[in-house]
Amino acid sequence: LDLGCGGGSTSLYLSQEGFSVYGIDSSKTAVKKTKLLLKKHNLSGKFQVMDFSGLDFLDNTFNCIIDICSLQHNKPIEIAKILHLLKIFLKPDGKFFSIIVGKGTKSELFMNKGFIHYYTKNEIKKLYKQFKIISIEKLIRTENNCKDTIYHWVDHCENKK
């Protein structure tokens, strides 16, 4: 599951690598772009407009769920609810990968992008406590000719049931 498939780059990569891809995004435009991108490359997947608060899948549906900077646009209390659902949809021992913006980020990149919470490592640990945390890595990058510094938490978890 590509959680918040956006413009489709993650879905495209996964499909090119032979994975069956299911992507969701709350934006109709994003879902349309993702479908067109995969079609352009003669690839396929299932894509649906769906808000994270309305996630609706069968239990144990996915081997892997990937979030590339989508969950972070929800309030922490909502993310906890979303993660509870994702745990149900993830198969036993299924993998969950997430990238979330970290505290200390100084960038205009996230301005006017709606709600965003900048996480500390301890907050990440609490957030993913229902999963087996395999690793939490800090990724630091710059932007705007090195004027802006962006911190991301790259999280790898496993479903423990």
Side-chain angles (χ1 to χ4, degrees), residues 19-110:
F19 293 96
S20 298
V21 180
Y22 197 109
I24 62 167
D25 202 291
S26 62
S27 165
K28 290 179 186 176
T29 303
V31 169
K32 184 177 179 181
K33 284 182 179 179
T34 300
K35 287 178 179 179
L36 289 172
L37 180 64
L38 268 74
K39 185 176 181 180
K40 177 182 169 184
H41 289 85
N42 295 315
L43 298 167
S44 63
K46 295 179 183 175
F47 302 96
Q48 186 176 352
V49 176
M50 185 184 296
D51 189 82
F52 292 172
S53 62
L55 293 171
D56 187 23
F57 298 102
L58 296 174
D59 294 6
N60 303 316
T61 299
F62 300 105
N63 292 309
C64 182
I65 298 174
I66 299 174
D67 160 51
I68 308 293
C69 300
S70 293
L71 280 175
Q72 69 190 22
H73 295 287
N74 295 274
K75 295 185 178 176
I77 190 137
E78 293 302 316
I79 294 175
K81 293 175 187 174
I82 293 164
L83 288 172
H84 174 75
L85 290 174
L86 294 178
K87 183 172 175 34
I88 293 168
F89 305 143
L90 194 59
K91 291 181 179 180
D93 300 322
K95 308 296 182 198
F96 176 67
F97 298 95
S98 180
I99 299 176
I100 291 186
V101 71
K103 194 169 190 92
T105 293
K106 304 277 190 270
S107 173
E108 293 182 14
L109 176 68
F110 300 109

